[in-house]
Amino acid sequence: MRRRSRARQLLKGVLVALLLLFTLFPTYWMLVSAFDATPSGGVEAFPQDLTVDNFTYVLTDGGFLGFLRNSLVVALVVVVVSGLLSLLASVAVARFRFRLRTQLVMMILIVQMVPLEALVIPLFVQVRDLQMLGTLLGLMVVYTALALPFGIWMLRGFVAAVPVELEEAAYLDGASWWRMFRSVLLPLVAPGLVATSVFAFITAWNEFIFAMTLLGGSTENYTVAIGLRQFFGQHSNDWGAVMAASTLITVPVMIFFIIVQRRLSSGLVAGAVKG
């Protein structure tokens, strides 16, 4: 019996090790190629000659510093605006009674199921009519619209889970609606707000199709996702620059995730229970 238990644990360990190897190897290969002076695009366990020239080329001649700035501006604006609008909208659908409220909530859920590719042409036409093609503002509007359904649907569960008696107690103590919102409701829904912020940040940071369609030839407004495309040639690829740029794209996401991961995990678990 004990021998069978050890064999089972050994099998689990081997499977976990294989899963970690499969998951982490692309990242390791990216880092090795980024610091390799002569990357070949093949699989090499260790770099032949360590160098930072790829990063220097990407940030200077490649213009990637500007792409990082554009992506950072777009992502931060989308996180703040979508978080604020999602929170206010979730309070409206969770606390107030009005006509077609159920239909509105169902519409929010249905919108999340529409493939992004089906939205490219309609959103392109809308952004064109608003004369925001080739601008970061148009991209911010589209990303905010994409992040809102998930944010509203997720935060609605957090707001609905807050007992109304807590709000009424704040009113009895003389608090205004704003004071109750800031001191009672906001701290209780903060984990959900962090989770929606992570989703909005990743959407704005990694998205490619809408950025390529809406920005077109405005290379000065390119984000990192489409800025990376310039290092791919028709007949050959600059693997050192590609991997150095990919590393620069990955680092901000990792830093952001490390900062919020504790609240993210608690928020996702709480949302799963409270929804």
Side-chain angles (χ1 to χ4, degrees):
M1 190 70 181
R2 182 176 298 175
R3 183 177 301 175
R4 182 179 300 178
S5 177
R6 286 181 178 177
R8 186 175 299 174
Q9 290 181 353
L10 180 62
L11 178 61
K12 289 181 180 177
V14 172
L15 292 177
V16 169
L18 290 175
L19 180 61
L20 286 175
L21 180 64
F22 181 78
T23 305
L24 297 178
F25 180 76
T27 303
Y28 173 75
W29 184 53
M30 177 184 71
L31 293 173
V32 167
S33 300
F35 287 99
D36 195 344
T38 57
S40 61
V43 180
E44 296 177 353
F46 303 100
Q48 300 297 322
D49 186 13
L50 288 174
T51 180
V52 293
D53 289 347
N54 294 323
F55 291 93
T56 304
Y57 169 73
V58 165
L59 291 174
T60 54
D61 296 338
F64 220 71
L65 203 55
F67 303 153
L68 285 170
R69 184 185 62 246
N70 293 337
S71 285
L72 193 60
V73 170
V74 171
L76 290 179
V77 170
V78 170
V79 167
V80 173
V81 175
S82 65
L84 179 62
L85 294 179
S86 299
L87 182 57
L88 294 177
S90 63
V91 171
V93 296
R95 284 289 187 261
F96 300 105
R97 299 289 184 269
F98 51 88
R99 291 184 60 186
L100 302 178
R101 188 185 71 141
T102 305
Q103 291 79 357
L104 178 62
V105 173
M106 292 304 299
M107 185 66 70
I108 293 172
L109 179 62
I110 293 172
V111 167
Q112 296 182 76
M113 302 176 184
V114 178
L116 285 181
E117 290 77 7
L119 300 175
V120 172
I121 295 178
L123 288 176
F124 173 83
V125 172
Q126 287 184 318
V127 173
R128 184 200 60 189
D129 293 343
L130 293 172
Q131 298 183 350
M132 290 192 292
L133 280 180
T135 65
L136 292 179
L137 181 60
L139 207 58
M140 294 173 191
V141 172
V142 170
Y143 288 164
T144 301
L146 295 177
L148 277 179
F150 174 80
I152 296 172
W153 185 260
M154 187 161 187
L155 286 175
R156 173 183 167 275
F158 281 87
V159 175
V162 176
V164 180
E165 288 77 10
L166 289 178
E167 301 177 13
E168 293 174 346
Y171 292 138
L172 289 176
D173 289 340
S176 62
W177 185 89
W178 169 247
R179 179 60 186 273
M180 181 281 300
F181 179 80
R182 181 167 56 87
S183 302
V184 177
L185 192 59
L186 187 59
L188 293 175
V189 302
L193 198 58
V194 171
T196 56
S197 299
V198 171
F199 173 79
F201 183 86
I202 293 176
T203 299
W205 189 265
N206 292 333
E207 203 282 328
F208 178 82
I209 297 176
F210 284 100
M212 192 69 241
T213 305
L214 300 179
L215 294 178
S218 302
T219 55
E220 71 278 5
N221 290 331
Y222 273 11
T223 57
V224 290
I226 54 177
L228 182 65
R229 191 174 57 97
Q230 66 178 313
F231 303 117
F232 289 92
Q234 184 175 4
H235 303 291
S236 63
N237 302 320
D238 187 352
W239 287 112
V242 169
M243 294 306 166
S246 300
T247 304
L248 293 174
I249 294 174
T250 307
V251 168
V253 179
M254 294 178 66
I255 294 174
F256 183 74
F257 187 80
I258 290 172
I259 292 174
V260 303
Q261 60 88 20
R262 182 173 299 175
R263 285 188 173 273
L264 173 64
S265 56
S266 62
L268 290 175
V269 173
V273 175
K274 294 175 182 177

PDB file of all heavy atoms in Angstrom, residues 35-50:
ATOM      1  N   PHE A  35      19.818  37.474 -25.191  1.00  0.00           N
ATOM      2  CA  PHE A  35      21.173  37.817 -24.732  1.00  0.00           C
ATOM      3  C   PHE A  35      22.259  37.140 -25.563  1.00  0.00           C
ATOM      4  O   PHE A  35      23.435  37.289 -25.259  1.00  0.00           O
ATOM      5  CB  PHE A  35      21.343  37.418 -23.257  1.00  0.00           C
ATOM      6  CG  PHE A  35      20.607  38.317 -22.314  1.00  0.00           C
ATOM      7  CD1 PHE A  35      19.379  37.958 -21.796  1.00  0.00           C
ATOM      8  CD2 PHE A  35      21.154  39.547 -21.962  1.00  0.00           C
ATOM      9  CE1 PHE A  35      18.700  38.795 -20.929  1.00  0.00           C
ATOM     10  CE2 PHE A  35      20.484  40.392 -21.099  1.00  0.00           C
ATOM     11  CZ  PHE A  35      19.250  40.019 -20.580  1.00  0.00           C
ATOM     12  N   ASP A  36      21.887  36.399 -26.588  1.00  0.00           N
ATOM     13  CA  ASP A  36      22.858  35.716 -27.441  1.00  0.00           C
ATOM     14  C   ASP A  36      23.296  36.649 -28.564  1.00  0.00           C
ATOM     15  O   ASP A  36      22.460  37.262 -29.238  1.00  0.00           O
ATOM     16  CB  ASP A  36      22.231  34.445 -28.012  1.00  0.00           C
ATOM     17  CG  ASP A  36      23.286  33.524 -28.602  1.00  0.00           C
ATOM     18  OD1 ASP A  36      24.428  34.004 -28.830  1.00  0.00           O
ATOM     19  OD2 ASP A  36      22.993  32.342 -28.833  1.00  0.00           O
ATOM     20  N   ALA A  37      24.601  36.755 -28.773  1.00  0.00           N
ATOM     21  CA  ALA A  37      25.114  37.643 -29.823  1.00  0.00           C
ATOM     22  C   ALA A  37      24.830  37.106 -31.215  1.00  0.00           C
ATOM     23  O   ALA A  37      24.735  37.863 -32.184  1.00  0.00           O
ATOM     24  CB  ALA A  37      26.622  37.853 -29.650  1.00  0.00           C
ATOM     25  N   THR A  38      24.704  35.797 -31.346  1.00  0.00           N
ATOM     26  CA  THR A  38      24.441  35.189 -32.653  1.00  0.00           C
ATOM     27  C   THR A  38      23.276  34.208 -32.565  1.00  0.00           C
ATOM     28  O   THR A  38      23.449  33.003 -32.727  1.00  0.00           O
ATOM     29  CB  THR A  38      25.694  34.455 -33.160  1.00  0.00           C
ATOM     30  OG1 THR A  38      26.072  33.467 -32.171  1.00  0.00           O
ATOM     31  CG2 THR A  38      26.829  35.420 -33.411  1.00  0.00           C
ATOM     32  N   PRO A  39      22.056  34.714 -32.275  1.00  0.00           N
ATOM     33  CA  PRO A  39      20.908  33.798 -32.197  1.00  0.00           C
ATOM     34  C   PRO A  39      20.564  33.260 -33.577  1.00  0.00           C
ATOM     35  O   PRO A  39      20.558  33.983 -34.567  1.00  0.00           O
ATOM     36  CB  PRO A  39      19.791  34.692 -31.654  1.00  0.00           C
ATOM     37  CG  PRO A  39      20.167  36.056 -32.112  1.00  0.00           C
ATOM     38  CD  PRO A  39      21.675  36.112 -32.108  1.00  0.00           C
ATOM     39  N   SER A  40      20.245  31.987 -33.629  1.00  0.00           N
ATOM     40  CA  SER A  40      19.954  31.374 -34.926  1.00  0.00           C
ATOM     41  C   SER A  40      18.476  31.055 -35.106  1.00  0.00           C
ATOM     42  O   SER A  40      18.068  30.661 -36.182  1.00  0.00           O
ATOM     43  CB  SER A  40      20.754  30.070 -35.050  1.00  0.00           C
ATOM     44  OG  SER A  40      20.378  29.163 -34.021  1.00  0.00           O
ATOM     45  N   GLY A  41      17.702  31.235 -34.055  1.00  0.00           N
ATOM     46  CA  GLY A  41      16.289  30.863 -34.131  1.00  0.00           C
ATOM     47  C   GLY A  41      16.066  29.401 -33.832  1.00  0.00           C
ATOM     48  O   GLY A  41      14.924  28.955 -33.806  1.00  0.00           O
ATOM     49  N   GLY A  42      17.138  28.651 -33.611  1.00  0.00           N
ATOM     50  CA  GLY A  42      16.994  27.251 -33.251  1.00  0.00           C
ATOM     51  C   GLY A  42      16.995  27.087 -31.748  1.00  0.00           C
ATOM     52  O   GLY A  42      16.968  28.046 -30.981  1.00  0.00           O
ATOM     53  N   VAL A  43      17.009  25.847 -31.301  1.00  0.00           N
ATOM     54  CA  VAL A  43      16.971  25.557 -29.875  1.00  0.00           C
ATOM     55  C   VAL A  43      18.396  25.384 -29.368  1.00  0.00           C
ATOM     56  O   VAL A  43      19.073  24.427 -29.715  1.00  0.00           O
ATOM     57  CB  VAL A  43      16.150  24.280 -29.611  1.00  0.00           C
ATOM     58  CG1 VAL A  43      16.122  23.977 -28.122  1.00  0.00           C
ATOM     59  CG2 VAL A  43      14.739  24.440 -30.155  1.00  0.00           C
ATOM     60  N   GLU A  44      18.880  26.343 -28.559  1.00  0.00           N
ATOM     61  CA  GLU A  44      20.198  26.259 -27.967  1.00  0.00           C
ATOM     62  C   GLU A  44      20.047  26.376 -26.470  1.00  0.00           C
ATOM     63  O   GLU A  44      19.380  27.299 -25.964  1.00  0.00           O
ATOM     64  CB  GLU A  44      21.099  27.370 -28.503  1.00  0.00           C
ATOM     65  CG  GLU A  44      21.362  27.255 -30.003  1.00  0.00           C
ATOM     66  CD  GLU A  44      22.202  28.423 -30.516  1.00  0.00           C
ATOM     67  OE1 GLU A  44      22.433  29.352 -29.728  1.00  0.00           O
ATOM     68  OE2 GLU A  44      22.616  28.360 -31.673  1.00  0.00           O
ATOM     69  N   ALA A  45      20.668  25.441 -25.746  1.00  0.00           N
ATOM     70  CA  ALA A  45      20.491  25.418 -24.296  1.00  0.00           C
ATOM     71  C   ALA A  45      21.143  26.617 -23.629  1.00  0.00           C
ATOM     72  O   ALA A  45      20.607  27.177 -22.668  1.00  0.00           O
ATOM     73  CB  ALA A  45      21.060  24.122 -23.730  1.00  0.00           C
ATOM     74  N   PHE A  46      22.311  27.046 -24.160  1.00  0.00           N
ATOM     75  CA  PHE A  46      23.033  28.160 -23.555  1.00  0.00           C
ATOM     76  C   PHE A  46      23.509  29.109 -24.663  1.00  0.00           C
ATOM     77  O   PHE A  46      23.862  28.664 -25.760  1.00  0.00           O
ATOM     78  CB  PHE A  46      24.238  27.650 -22.748  1.00  0.00           C
ATOM     79  CG  PHE A  46      23.863  26.669 -21.674  1.00  0.00           C
ATOM     80  CD1 PHE A  46      24.016  25.305 -21.884  1.00  0.00           C
ATOM     81  CD2 PHE A  46      23.337  27.119 -20.466  1.00  0.00           C
ATOM     82  CE1 PHE A  46      23.661  24.403 -20.893  1.00  0.00           C
ATOM     83  CE2 PHE A  46      22.982  26.209 -19.472  1.00  0.00           C
ATOM     84  CZ  PHE A  46      23.143  24.856 -19.684  1.00  0.00           C
ATOM     85  N   PRO A  47      23.525  30.433 -24.381  1.00  0.00           N
ATOM     86  CA  PRO A  47      24.007  31.385 -25.398  1.00  0.00           C
ATOM     87  C   PRO A  47      25.500  31.222 -25.641  1.00  0.00           C
ATOM     88  O   PRO A  47      26.280  30.974 -24.722  1.00  0.00           O
ATOM     89  CB  PRO A  47      23.683  32.746 -24.771  1.00  0.00           C
ATOM     90  CG  PRO A  47      23.583  32.496 -23.312  1.00  0.00           C
ATOM     91  CD  PRO A  47      23.061  31.093 -23.163  1.00  0.00           C
ATOM     92  N   GLN A  48      25.893  31.364 -26.907  1.00  0.00           N
ATOM     93  CA  GLN A  48      27.302  31.220 -27.242  1.00  0.00           C
ATOM     94  C   GLN A  48      28.122  32.412 -26.778  1.00  0.00           C
ATOM     95  O   GLN A  48      29.257  32.288 -26.355  1.00  0.00           O
ATOM     96  CB  GLN A  48      27.440  31.063 -28.769  1.00  0.00           C
ATOM     97  CG  GLN A  48      26.709  29.854 -29.325  1.00  0.00           C
ATOM     98  CD  GLN A  48      27.264  28.553 -28.781  1.00  0.00           C
ATOM     99  OE1 GLN A  48      28.465  28.395 -28.605  1.00  0.00           O
ATOM    100  NE2 GLN A  48      26.357  27.608 -28.500  1.00  0.00           N
ATOM    101  N   ASP A  49      27.529  33.610 -26.863  1.00  0.00           N
ATOM    102  CA  ASP A  49      28.253  34.829 -26.488  1.00  0.00           C
ATOM    103  C   ASP A  49      27.243  35.825 -25.930  1.00  0.00           C
ATOM    104  O   ASP A  49      26.394  36.322 -26.657  1.00  0.00           O
ATOM    105  CB  ASP A  49      28.959  35.408 -27.721  1.00  0.00           C
ATOM    106  CG  ASP A  49      29.842  36.572 -27.353  1.00  0.00           C
ATOM    107  OD1 ASP A  49      30.098  36.755 -26.149  1.00  0.00           O
ATOM    108  OD2 ASP A  49      30.266  37.312 -28.262  1.00  0.00           O
ATOM    109  N   LEU A  50      27.354  36.107 -24.628  1.00  0.00           N
ATOM    110  CA  LEU A  50      26.393  36.995 -23.994  1.00  0.00           C
ATOM    111  C   LEU A  50      26.610  38.445 -24.415  1.00  0.00           C
ATOM    112  O   LEU A  50      27.746  38.917 -24.487  1.00  0.00           O
ATOM    113  CB  LEU A  50      26.500  36.888 -22.470  1.00  0.00           C
ATOM    114  CG  LEU A  50      25.979  35.590 -21.832  1.00  0.00           C
ATOM    115  CD1 LEU A  50      26.288  35.573 -20.350  1.00  0.00           C
ATOM    116  CD2 LEU A  50      24.488  35.461 -22.080  1.00  0.00           C
TER     117      LEU A  50
END
